mmCIF file of all heavy atoms in Angstrom:
data_model
loop_
_atom_site.group_PDB
_atom_site.id
_atom_site.type_symbol
_atom_site.label_atom_id
_atom_site.label_comp_id
_atom_site.label_asym_id
_atom_site.label_seq_id
_atom_site.Cartn_x
_atom_site.Cartn_y
_atom_site.Cartn_z
ATOM 1 N N ASN A 4 84.598 -12.703 163.244
ATOM 2 C CA ASN A 4 85.537 -13.810 163.230
ATOM 3 C C ASN A 4 86.659 -13.495 162.253
ATOM 4 O O ASN A 4 86.431 -12.818 161.240
ATOM 5 C CB ASN A 4 84.839 -15.113 162.827
ATOM 6 C CG ASN A 4 83.994 -15.666 163.946
ATOM 7 O OD1 ASN A 4 84.503 -16.217 164.911
ATOM 8 N ND2 ASN A 4 82.686 -15.502 163.830
ATOM 9 N N TYR A 5 87.838 -14.005 162.568
ATOM 10 C CA TYR A 5 89.023 -13.704 161.762
ATOM 11 C C TYR A 5 89.821 -14.959 161.482
ATOM 12 O O TYR A 5 89.885 -15.875 162.310
ATOM 13 C CB TYR A 5 89.924 -12.711 162.501
ATOM 14 C CG TYR A 5 89.271 -11.387 162.808
ATOM 15 C CD1 TYR A 5 88.650 -11.163 164.025
ATOM 16 C CD2 TYR A 5 89.294 -10.347 161.869
ATOM 17 C CE1 TYR A 5 88.042 -9.947 164.305
ATOM 18 C CE2 TYR A 5 88.700 -9.126 162.148
ATOM 19 C CZ TYR A 5 88.063 -8.938 163.372
ATOM 20 O OH TYR A 5 87.478 -7.733 163.643
ATOM 21 N N ALA A 6 90.465 -14.969 160.334
ATOM 22 C CA ALA A 6 91.440 -16.012 160.052
ATOM 23 C C ALA A 6 92.616 -15.843 161.005
ATOM 24 O O ALA A 6 92.958 -14.719 161.396
ATOM 25 C CB ALA A 6 91.909 -15.912 158.604
ATOM 26 N N ASP A 7 93.244 -16.935 161.379
ATOM 27 C CA ASP A 7 94.356 -16.867 162.319
ATOM 28 C C ASP A 7 95.475 -15.958 161.815
ATOM 29 O O ASP A 7 96.148 -15.296 162.604
ATOM 30 C CB ASP A 7 94.910 -18.272 162.570
ATOM 31 C CG ASP A 7 93.973 -19.117 163.420
ATOM 32 O OD1 ASP A 7 93.063 -18.555 164.056
ATOM 33 O OD2 ASP A 7 94.165 -20.354 163.446
ATOM 34 N N SER A 8 95.646 -15.922 160.518
ATOM 35 C CA SER A 8 96.751 -15.158 159.942
ATOM 36 C C SER A 8 96.588 -13.645 160.111
ATOM 37 O O SER A 8 97.560 -12.903 159.986
ATOM 38 C CB SER A 8 96.904 -15.490 158.458
ATOM 39 O OG SER A 8 95.697 -15.204 157.762
ATOM 40 N N VAL A 9 95.367 -13.183 160.381
ATOM 41 C CA VAL A 9 95.136 -11.741 160.501
ATOM 42 C C VAL A 9 94.620 -11.343 161.878
ATOM 43 O O VAL A 9 94.469 -10.146 162.162
ATOM 44 C CB VAL A 9 94.159 -11.236 159.416
ATOM 45 C CG1 VAL A 9 94.628 -11.646 158.031
ATOM 46 C CG2 VAL A 9 92.745 -11.720 159.670
ATOM 47 N N LYS A 10 94.353 -12.322 162.712
ATOM 48 C CA LYS A 10 93.786 -12.044 164.035
ATOM 49 C C LYS A 10 94.719 -11.125 164.827
ATOM 50 O O LYS A 10 95.927 -11.348 164.875
ATOM 51 C CB LYS A 10 93.563 -13.359 164.774
ATOM 52 C CG LYS A 10 92.608 -13.280 165.943
ATOM 53 C CD LYS A 10 92.315 -14.675 166.484
ATOM 54 C CE LYS A 10 91.563 -15.528 165.499
ATOM 55 N NZ LYS A 10 91.227 -16.866 166.031
ATOM 56 N N GLY A 11 94.144 -10.098 165.431
ATOM 57 C CA GLY A 11 94.939 -9.141 166.193
ATOM 58 C C GLY A 11 95.499 -8.007 165.359
ATOM 59 O O GLY A 11 96.020 -7.027 165.906
ATOM 60 N N ARG A 12 95.399 -8.113 164.026
ATOM 61 C CA ARG A 12 95.925 -7.058 163.145
ATOM 62 C C ARG A 12 94.810 -6.391 162.333
ATOM 63 O O ARG A 12 94.890 -5.200 162.029
ATOM 64 C CB ARG A 12 96.962 -7.635 162.189
ATOM 65 C CG ARG A 12 98.160 -8.255 162.886
ATOM 66 C CD ARG A 12 99.252 -8.634 161.872
ATOM 67 N NE ARG A 12 98.810 -9.639 160.930
ATOM 68 C CZ ARG A 12 98.794 -9.474 159.615
ATOM 69 N NH1 ARG A 12 99.190 -8.331 159.088
ATOM 70 N NH2 ARG A 12 98.380 -10.456 158.819
ATOM 71 N N PHE A 13 93.810 -7.159 161.944
ATOM 72 C CA PHE A 13 92.724 -6.648 161.105
ATOM 73 C C PHE A 13 91.450 -6.499 161.940
ATOM 74 O O PHE A 13 91.205 -7.268 162.869
ATOM 75 C CB PHE A 13 92.424 -7.602 159.947
ATOM 76 C CG PHE A 13 93.491 -7.683 158.894
ATOM 77 C CD1 PHE A 13 94.741 -7.100 159.059
ATOM 78 C CD2 PHE A 13 93.243 -8.348 157.699
ATOM 79 C CE1 PHE A 13 95.716 -7.171 158.077
ATOM 80 C CE2 PHE A 13 94.195 -8.433 156.701
ATOM 81 C CZ PHE A 13 95.440 -7.853 156.899
ATOM 82 N N ILE A 14 90.637 -5.515 161.565
ATOM 83 C CA ILE A 14 89.354 -5.305 162.219
ATOM 84 C C ILE A 14 88.279 -5.115 161.156
ATOM 85 O O ILE A 14 88.402 -4.239 160.299
ATOM 86 C CB ILE A 14 89.383 -4.069 163.141
ATOM 87 C CG1 ILE A 14 90.457 -4.218 164.211
ATOM 88 C CG2 ILE A 14 88.007 -3.847 163.779
ATOM 89 C CD1 ILE A 14 90.687 -2.962 165.030
ATOM 90 N N ILE A 15 87.245 -5.941 161.225
ATOM 91 C CA ILE A 15 86.122 -5.822 160.298
ATOM 92 C C ILE A 15 84.997 -5.075 160.998
ATOM 93 O O ILE A 15 84.763 -5.255 162.197
ATOM 94 C CB ILE A 15 85.654 -7.209 159.811
ATOM 95 C CG1 ILE A 15 84.621 -7.064 158.687
ATOM 96 C CG2 ILE A 15 85.130 -8.066 160.953
ATOM 97 C CD1 ILE A 15 84.271 -8.391 158.013
ATOM 98 N N SER A 16 84.317 -4.218 160.243
ATOM 99 C CA SER A 16 83.199 -3.471 160.798
ATOM 100 C C SER A 16 82.181 -3.213 159.692
ATOM 101 O O SER A 16 82.477 -3.414 158.509
ATOM 102 C CB SER A 16 83.671 -2.142 161.412
ATOM 103 O OG SER A 16 84.270 -1.322 160.438
ATOM 104 N N ARG A 17 81.001 -2.770 160.076
ATOM 105 C CA ARG A 17 79.978 -2.501 159.072
ATOM 106 C C ARG A 17 79.176 -1.276 159.484
ATOM 107 O O ARG A 17 78.949 -1.050 160.674
ATOM 108 C CB ARG A 17 79.069 -3.702 158.837
ATOM 109 C CG ARG A 17 78.240 -4.136 160.018
ATOM 110 C CD ARG A 17 77.640 -5.533 159.822
ATOM 111 N NE ARG A 17 76.677 -5.580 158.723
ATOM 112 C CZ ARG A 17 76.136 -6.719 158.281
ATOM 113 N NH1 ARG A 17 76.489 -7.880 158.807
ATOM 114 N NH2 ARG A 17 75.252 -6.701 157.285
ATOM 115 N N ASP A 18 78.765 -0.504 158.493
ATOM 116 C CA ASP A 18 77.896 0.652 158.686
ATOM 117 C C ASP A 18 76.646 0.379 157.875
ATOM 118 O O ASP A 18 76.626 0.599 156.654
ATOM 119 C CB ASP A 18 78.603 1.931 158.225
ATOM 120 C CG ASP A 18 77.785 3.178 158.486
ATOM 121 O OD1 ASP A 18 76.555 3.058 158.642
ATOM 122 O OD2 ASP A 18 78.382 4.261 158.530
ATOM 123 N N ASN A 19 75.609 -0.094 158.529
ATOM 124 C CA ASN A 19 74.407 -0.487 157.804
ATOM 125 C C ASN A 19 73.703 0.701 157.154
ATOM 126 O O ASN A 19 73.058 0.554 156.117
ATOM 127 C CB ASN A 19 73.452 -1.231 158.728
ATOM 128 C CG ASN A 19 73.986 -2.586 159.132
ATOM 129 O OD1 ASN A 19 74.762 -3.205 158.399
ATOM 130 N ND2 ASN A 19 73.594 -3.042 160.308
ATOM 131 N N ALA A 20 73.842 1.874 157.752
ATOM 132 C CA ALA A 20 73.222 3.063 157.163
ATOM 133 C C ALA A 20 73.823 3.385 155.803
ATOM 134 O O ALA A 20 73.164 3.961 154.943
ATOM 135 C CB ALA A 20 73.377 4.250 158.099
ATOM 136 N N LYS A 21 75.077 2.995 155.622
ATOM 137 C CA LYS A 21 75.764 3.243 154.354
ATOM 138 C C LYS A 21 75.888 1.985 153.513
ATOM 139 O O LYS A 21 76.517 2.015 152.449
ATOM 140 C CB LYS A 21 77.157 3.823 154.614
ATOM 141 C CG LYS A 21 77.144 5.175 155.298
ATOM 142 C CD LYS A 21 78.567 5.694 155.494
ATOM 143 C CE LYS A 21 78.554 7.072 156.151
ATOM 144 N NZ LYS A 21 79.920 7.586 156.367
ATOM 145 N N SER A 22 75.343 0.873 153.984
ATOM 146 C CA SER A 22 75.458 -0.415 153.271
ATOM 147 C C SER A 22 76.919 -0.694 152.928
ATOM 148 O O SER A 22 77.245 -1.096 151.802
ATOM 149 C CB SER A 22 74.608 -0.406 151.997
ATOM 150 O OG SER A 22 73.245 -0.228 152.301
ATOM 151 N N THR A 23 77.783 -0.479 153.897
ATOM 152 C CA THR A 23 79.221 -0.598 153.660
ATOM 153 C C THR A 23 79.871 -1.434 154.752
ATOM 154 O O THR A 23 79.522 -1.314 155.927
ATOM 155 C CB THR A 23 79.877 0.795 153.605
ATOM 156 O OG1 THR A 23 79.286 1.549 152.547
ATOM 157 C CG2 THR A 23 81.376 0.686 153.354
ATOM 158 N N VAL A 24 80.815 -2.247 154.339
ATOM 159 C CA VAL A 24 81.617 -3.048 155.253
ATOM 160 C C VAL A 24 83.063 -2.600 155.100
ATOM 161 O O VAL A 24 83.529 -2.354 153.976
ATOM 162 C CB VAL A 24 81.480 -4.549 154.951
ATOM 163 C CG1 VAL A 24 82.350 -5.356 155.899
ATOM 164 C CG2 VAL A 24 80.021 -4.975 155.076
ATOM 165 N N TYR A 25 83.771 -2.520 156.205
ATOM 166 C CA TYR A 25 85.153 -2.039 156.203
ATOM 167 C C TYR A 25 86.097 -3.129 156.689
ATOM 168 O O TYR A 25 85.705 -4.043 157.411
ATOM 169 C CB TYR A 25 85.292 -0.826 157.115
ATOM 170 C CG TYR A 25 84.387 0.323 156.754
ATOM 171 C CD1 TYR A 25 83.184 0.519 157.423
ATOM 172 C CD2 TYR A 25 84.733 1.213 155.741
ATOM 173 C CE1 TYR A 25 82.342 1.572 157.090
ATOM 174 C CE2 TYR A 25 83.902 2.267 155.402
ATOM 175 C CZ TYR A 25 82.703 2.446 156.081
ATOM 176 O OH TYR A 25 81.879 3.482 155.746
ATOM 177 N N LEU A 26 87.353 -2.985 156.299
ATOM 178 C CA LEU A 26 88.408 -3.839 156.830
ATOM 179 C C LEU A 26 89.599 -2.939 157.151
ATOM 180 O O LEU A 26 90.272 -2.453 156.239
ATOM 181 C CB LEU A 26 88.804 -4.929 155.845
ATOM 182 C CG LEU A 26 89.794 -5.961 156.393
ATOM 183 C CD1 LEU A 26 89.122 -6.796 157.496
ATOM 184 C CD2 LEU A 26 90.313 -6.880 155.277
ATOM 185 N N GLN A 27 89.809 -2.705 158.419
ATOM 186 C CA GLN A 27 90.972 -1.950 158.879
ATOM 187 C C GLN A 27 92.135 -2.920 159.015
ATOM 188 O O GLN A 27 92.051 -3.880 159.773
ATOM 189 C CB GLN A 27 90.680 -1.272 160.210
ATOM 190 C CG GLN A 27 91.863 -0.532 160.799
ATOM 191 C CD GLN A 27 92.258 0.690 159.978
ATOM 192 O OE1 GLN A 27 91.402 1.441 159.530
ATOM 193 N NE2 GLN A 27 93.557 0.891 159.798
ATOM 194 N N MET A 28 93.195 -2.662 158.278
ATOM 195 C CA MET A 28 94.337 -3.567 158.262
ATOM 196 C C MET A 28 95.541 -2.846 158.849
ATOM 197 O O MET A 28 95.994 -1.833 158.296
ATOM 198 C CB MET A 28 94.623 -4.027 156.838
ATOM 199 C CG MET A 28 93.417 -4.645 156.137
ATOM 200 S SD MET A 28 93.817 -5.385 154.552
ATOM 201 C CE MET A 28 94.378 -3.945 153.668
ATOM 202 N N ASN A 29 96.057 -3.365 159.944
ATOM 203 C CA ASN A 29 97.209 -2.784 160.623
ATOM 204 C C ASN A 29 98.375 -3.763 160.619
ATOM 205 O O ASN A 29 98.183 -4.963 160.373
ATOM 206 C CB ASN A 29 96.839 -2.427 162.057
ATOM 207 C CG ASN A 29 95.663 -1.468 162.148
ATOM 208 O OD1 ASN A 29 95.577 -0.504 161.397
ATOM 209 N ND2 ASN A 29 94.756 -1.728 163.071
ATOM 210 N N SER A 30 99.543 -3.257 160.892
ATOM 211 C CA SER A 30 100.755 -4.093 160.952
ATOM 212 C C SER A 30 100.846 -4.999 159.726
ATOM 213 O O SER A 30 101.067 -6.208 159.847
ATOM 214 C CB SER A 30 100.753 -4.932 162.233
ATOM 215 O OG SER A 30 100.677 -4.110 163.372
ATOM 216 N N LEU A 31 100.679 -4.410 158.578
ATOM 217 C CA LEU A 31 100.661 -5.200 157.352
ATOM 218 C C LEU A 31 102.000 -5.862 157.087
ATOM 219 O O LEU A 31 103.068 -5.302 157.377
ATOM 220 C CB LEU A 31 100.254 -4.312 156.176
ATOM 221 C CG LEU A 31 98.745 -4.024 156.118
ATOM 222 C CD1 LEU A 31 98.461 -2.813 155.235
ATOM 223 C CD2 LEU A 31 98.003 -5.244 155.604
ATOM 224 N N GLU A 32 101.913 -7.047 156.515
ATOM 225 C CA GLU A 32 103.083 -7.871 156.204
ATOM 226 C C GLU A 32 103.090 -8.181 154.705
ATOM 227 O O GLU A 32 102.035 -8.162 154.060
ATOM 228 C CB GLU A 32 103.001 -9.175 157.008
ATOM 229 C CG GLU A 32 102.881 -8.973 158.495
ATOM 230 C CD GLU A 32 102.529 -10.267 159.228
ATOM 231 O OE1 GLU A 32 102.243 -11.279 158.559
ATOM 232 O OE2 GLU A 32 102.542 -10.247 160.484
ATOM 233 N N PRO A 33 104.248 -8.494 154.156
ATOM 234 C CA PRO A 33 104.299 -8.839 152.728
ATOM 235 C C PRO A 33 103.326 -9.964 152.343
ATOM 236 O O PRO A 33 102.783 -9.952 151.233
ATOM 237 C CB PRO A 33 105.757 -9.258 152.522
ATOM 238 C CG PRO A 33 106.498 -8.437 153.534
ATOM 239 C CD PRO A 33 105.595 -8.383 154.738
ATOM 240 N N ASP A 34 103.099 -10.909 153.253
ATOM 241 C CA ASP A 34 102.173 -12.014 152.963
ATOM 242 C C ASP A 34 100.722 -11.560 152.871
ATOM 243 O O ASP A 34 99.855 -12.348 152.466
ATOM 244 C CB ASP A 34 102.290 -13.110 154.026
ATOM 245 C CG ASP A 34 103.525 -13.970 153.833
ATOM 246 O OD1 ASP A 34 104.167 -13.860 152.763
ATOM 247 O OD2 ASP A 34 103.865 -14.741 154.745
ATOM 248 N N ASP A 35 100.436 -10.327 153.240
ATOM 249 C CA ASP A 35 99.081 -9.791 153.093
ATOM 250 C C ASP A 35 98.824 -9.291 151.672
ATOM 251 O O ASP A 35 97.692 -8.910 151.353
ATOM 252 C CB ASP A 35 98.851 -8.644 154.079
ATOM 253 C CG ASP A 35 98.888 -9.093 155.530
ATOM 254 O OD1 ASP A 35 98.336 -10.163 155.832
ATOM 255 O OD2 ASP A 35 99.490 -8.371 156.359
ATOM 256 N N THR A 36 99.847 -9.278 150.855
ATOM 257 C CA THR A 36 99.690 -8.836 149.477
ATOM 258 C C THR A 36 98.712 -9.739 148.739
ATOM 259 O O THR A 36 98.887 -10.958 148.688
ATOM 260 C CB THR A 36 101.047 -8.849 148.751
ATOM 261 O OG1 THR A 36 101.907 -7.874 149.356
ATOM 262 C CG2 THR A 36 100.879 -8.525 147.275
ATOM 263 N N ALA A 37 97.668 -9.135 148.191
ATOM 264 C CA ALA A 37 96.612 -9.900 147.526
ATOM 265 C C ALA A 37 95.573 -8.930 146.960
ATOM 266 O O ALA A 37 95.603 -7.733 147.253
ATOM 267 C CB ALA A 37 95.928 -10.854 148.497
ATOM 268 N N VAL A 38 94.666 -9.479 146.180
ATOM 269 C CA VAL A 38 93.455 -8.734 145.809
ATOM 270 C C VAL A 38 92.396 -9.093 146.838
ATOM 271 O O VAL A 38 92.152 -10.271 147.108
ATOM 272 C CB VAL A 38 92.974 -9.102 144.391
ATOM 273 C CG1 VAL A 38 91.709 -8.319 144.059
ATOM 274 C CG2 VAL A 38 94.062 -8.797 143.365
ATOM 275 N N TYR A 39 91.781 -8.072 147.415
ATOM 276 C CA TYR A 39 90.794 -8.270 148.475
ATOM 277 C C TYR A 39 89.380 -8.079 147.920
ATOM 278 O O TYR A 39 89.114 -7.113 147.192
ATOM 279 C CB TYR A 39 91.063 -7.296 149.618
ATOM 280 C CG TYR A 39 92.238 -7.705 150.465
ATOM 281 C CD1 TYR A 39 93.539 -7.604 149.987
ATOM 282 C CD2 TYR A 39 92.059 -8.217 151.759
ATOM 283 C CE1 TYR A 39 94.623 -7.997 150.749
ATOM 284 C CE2 TYR A 39 93.133 -8.603 152.533
ATOM 285 C CZ TYR A 39 94.409 -8.504 152.018
ATOM 286 O OH TYR A 39 95.480 -8.896 152.789
ATOM 287 N N TYR A 40 88.496 -8.990 148.314
ATOM 288 C CA TYR A 40 87.107 -8.984 147.860
ATOM 289 C C TYR A 40 86.169 -9.070 149.069
ATOM 290 O O TYR A 40 86.545 -9.593 150.112
ATOM 291 C CB TYR A 40 86.820 -10.206 146.980
ATOM 292 C CG TYR A 40 87.700 -10.377 145.777
ATOM 293 C CD1 TYR A 40 88.916 -11.043 145.864
ATOM 294 C CD2 TYR A 40 87.300 -9.898 144.529
ATOM 295 C CE1 TYR A 40 89.720 -11.227 144.743
ATOM 296 C CE2 TYR A 40 88.091 -10.073 143.404
ATOM 297 C CZ TYR A 40 89.297 -10.741 143.525
ATOM 298 O OH TYR A 40 90.089 -10.919 142.422
#
């Protein structure tokens, strides 16, 4: 699920073997500027 502001631009995925979650961010905009957690 995605917030409307990032839908179609961001992709979340997870690799359970590595205990890691990813966020692929495309078509970035100035309003995406932030600290990500």
Side-chain angles (χ1 to χ4, degrees):
N4 285 285
Y5 300 94
D7 288 344
S8 58
V9 307
K10 198 172 294 182
R12 300 188 297 122
F13 291 10
I14 301 172
I15 188 171
S16 61
R17 64 195 295 173
D18 184 339
N19 291 332
K21 297 181 179 179
S22 299
T23 300
V24 179
Y25 302 98
L26 187 67
Q27 177 68 43
M28 306 188 298
N29 303 317
S30 302
L31 283 162
E32 304 169 353
D34 283 348
D35 295 319
T36 295
V38 179
Y39 284 72
Y40 304 87

